[in-house]
Structure formats: structure tokens, C-alpha cells
Amino acid sequence: MPLLEVKSLECRRDDRLLFEDLCFSLSDGEVLQIEGANGSGKTSLLRILCGLRQAESGDVCWQGQRLQEAREDYYARMVYIGHLPCIKGDLSVAENIRALLDTRSQAVSVDVIEQSLARVGLNGFDDVPGKALSSGQRRRILLAFILLAKAKLWILDEPLTALDVSGVALVEAMILQHRATGGSVIFTTHHGMALDGGMRSVALGGASAHKQTSQTRSTTELC
């Protein structure tokens, strides 16, 4: 049984068809990239997968159940990071992480937060206010949150935005480790991602501007 399954999704924006008859599945320990040009519906698709937007038609299923029927389990085991960092400038780095964990009803110790910050290159930044950070550092707060979220499925919209070379390598390493422990990832990016062992992709768009279907291919075909 797939971990996540998309069945015949259709999405429109302002009366414009973004995609229809979109079907794909995701298994345990699998990484899936959503590809497509600007405006093809990548973010809209991720928001549908997260339950933040309704599709015009079709279903998203979590372990064989429609999201509407598995909502509690799904949200406990899925974490979504949008392309805009939701960091509050008046809160410290540690307070921002605690606020994010509160949305998942999770509580962790100071030591655990410090360890996660060290992992993402923010060692010693726990008391620094969010407004004093660069865009890349704010993105790293979200990476620390992901490490603490204990989610089976990561859904990441442009996770490489504002990150430098070391930050990109960090995201790649996090995804590889998550996959190695049986976790799954769906992501979008306009940048290349070096993931040993391969990944699948779903492409939005194509020759027809009216009907768009999913395609899968290996990492080697993407490079």
C-alpha cells in the first residue's frame, strides 16, 4: 500500500486549468520532486497535499484512506514547510522553534533545541531575535524545526531558497538521512539537488496547456 496516493487531481486558479487527471503515489523511504515552470501549479499541488487548499476534483489518500478520514494521523506524521519562512522577528531563534513545535503539540528540552541548531549551523544563536537574522539563517531555523518534528513525510516547497552552498548540502544530507530511516519527502526546487540513490519526479505542464499529467523519471534523467 502506498504511503500517499494522489488520484485524478484537478486544480484551477482564476478559471485557468493548472493540471487535471494528476495521479501518482509515494512509498516509504521515497523522495519525489514536483517539477514545472513558474505558474504550473507546484505550490498549489503541495497545498492540496497538505489540506490547505481544495482540489476541484480527485482525492489524496494517506495509507489507503482519504485525507478527510485520516486527518488526525496524517497531520501528526506530516510536516509542511512553505517557500516563505514563517519566522517571527520579535521572537528569539529558540522561541520560534518552540512556537513551531507548539503547532504539533510537541515540547522539547533546551538541550535538544541547541543540538538541532548546532546541526543546522546556528550554534549559539538560540537567543538571537529573528529580525536580526539573514534570510538564509531564517531558513535554517525551519530546518532545525524539521529535525525535531518527528514526521514521517516531509513536504517542502523550495527548501533551498536563500541558502548558501553549505546550506544546500545540509538539506541534501537531511533528506538522505530521512530517506535512509524510512522517511519520505515531496519537494519542489528551481535548483539542482544531489541525492545519491535516485529519486522520482512528477512534471506539471507539458505540450498541452489544457491537460497535464504526471511523469516519472530517475535522477540520472534529470541531470
Side-chain angles (χ1 to χ4, degrees):
M1 179 189 302
L3 184 70
L4 187 76
E5 188 172 9
V6 167
K7 300 180 179 181
S8 302
L9 279 191
E10 177 181 325
C11 179
R12 295 177 180 269
R13 183 194 301 141
D14 300 327
D15 296 325
R16 182 170 66 90
L17 179 65
L18 296 178
F19 51 82
E20 66 177 347
D21 294 335
L22 183 64
C23 301
F24 63 87
S25 62
L26 182 76
S27 300
D28 290 337
E30 188 171 25
V31 177
L32 184 68
Q33 179 178 0
I34 307 298
E35 295 184 309
N38 290 337
S40 61
K42 299 187 298 298
T43 293
S44 295
L45 173 57
L46 295 193
R47 290 179 63 82
I48 290 171
L49 297 183
C50 295
L52 298 176
R53 174 178 178 147
Q54 286 289 330
E56 273 61 39
S57 63
D59 283 313
V60 179
C61 296
W62 172 252
Q63 296 184 317
Q65 289 186 298
R66 297 172 68 238
L67 284 193
Q68 296 89 329
E69 301 163 356
R71 184 176 299 272
E72 184 175 349
D73 182 62
Y74 182 61
Y75 287 132
R77 303 182 67 191
M78 179 274 293
V79 63
Y80 167 66
I81 298 297
H83 66 282
L84 296 176
C86 51
I87 302 303
K88 298 180 180 179
D90 291 334
L91 297 183
S92 70
V93 169
E95 287 170 339
N96 268 288
I97 290 180
R98 289 193 183 282
L100 291 167
L101 290 173
D102 282 345
T103 65
R104 301 181 60 80
S105 299
Q106 288 182 236
V108 298
S109 68
V110 173
D111 288 344
V112 170
I113 290 179
E114 290 178 348
Q115 290 169 10
S116 69
L117 291 176
R119 170 79 188 279
V120 302
L122 291 178
N123 189 34
F125 279 76
D126 47 305
D127 291 328
V128 177
K131 59 187 175 185
L133 301 176
S134 68
S135 296
Q137 289 171 324
R138 292 186 180 197
R139 178 65 57 176
R140 287 173 185 260
I141 295 177
L142 299 180
L143 298 181
F145 163 63
I146 292 171
L147 290 174
L148 297 173
K150 298 180 180 179
K152 174 76 171 180
L153 172 61
W154 297 354
I155 300 181
L156 312 176
D157 194 1
E158 297 292 341
L160 305 183
T161 299
L163 291 176
D164 56 17
V165 173
S166 66
V168 171
L170 171 64
V171 173
E172 292 170 348
M174 286 174 56
I175 290 176
L176 288 173
Q177 183 176 16
H178 187 57
R179 184 180 66 184
T181 57
S184 302
V185 182
I186 299 176
F187 73 94
T188 68
T189 181
H190 289 294
H191 307 280
M193 188 88 81
L195 298 176
D196 295 335
M199 63 183 177
R200 292 173 52 233
S201 70
V202 170
L204 303 181
S208 171
H210 301 290
K211 185 171 183 178
Q212 305 168 358
T213 58
S214 65
Q215 303 171 348
T216 59
R217 50 187 174 178
S218 67
T219 303
T220 55
E221 292 172 318
L222 292 175
C223 298

